[in-house]
Amino acid sequence: MAGCVFCGIVAGEAPAFRVVDEPDGVAFLDTRPVFKGHVLVVPHTHLVTLADLPPESIAGYFGLVRRLAVAVEAGLGAGGTFVAMNNRVSQSVPHLHTHVVPRTKGDGLRGFFWPRTRYADDPDATSYADRIRTALSADPA
């Protein structure tokens, strides 16, 4: 869809630190992560909300989200993950996307207050994407 930044990333027309591109979706680092390694997962097709995701795509899309949650923990040594999705309200980009945020005990994340951080530079971001990608490829599921 013209003007959608996530469609631009999916099409390779907008820059992103891609973690994976598979038939079920594309995952890339959030440019304003809650914590470094915060990944966004989007379907290839422009959809706005979860209700727009065709029933036959649910297993594949959320299978990818599940695999990324495992990879974020393994690749970054996180204690867990926070997996979330907004539908319209607080949806900064109107393209269906799922947040996979690395968590550690005592990280300060409380409720839905999401402080944002930045990567020091492109190599810093690339190193996080690479670590998650490596862990994702190690998951046999």
Side-chain angles (χ1 to χ4, degrees), residues 53-129:
L53 186 65
E56 63 272 12
S57 299
I58 292 171
Y61 180 76
F62 282 102
L64 177 57
V65 170
R66 183 201 64 78
R67 289 176 43 233
L68 281 157
V70 171
V72 164
E73 284 187 38
L76 303 180
T81 56
F82 176 70
V83 177
M85 177 186 297
N86 290 306
N87 281 293
R88 291 191 186 94
V89 175
S90 294
Q91 190 178 15
S92 57
V93 176
H95 184 124
L96 176 67
H97 58 284
T98 305
H99 298 261
V100 180
V101 180
R103 297 293 313 272
T104 57
K105 187 172 176 77
D107 61 18
L109 188 62
R110 302 256 187 270
F112 289 98
F113 173 67
W114 289 34
R116 297 298 183 130
T117 189
R118 293 205 179 274
Y119 293 95
D121 50 28
D122 285 359
D124 186 31
T126 298
S127 74
Y128 278 83

Side-chain angles (χ1 to χ4, degrees), residues 35-46:
F35 300 114
K36 291 180 178 182
H38 177 168
V39 175
L40 298 177
V41 185
V42 303
H44 281 269
T45 305
H46 182 82

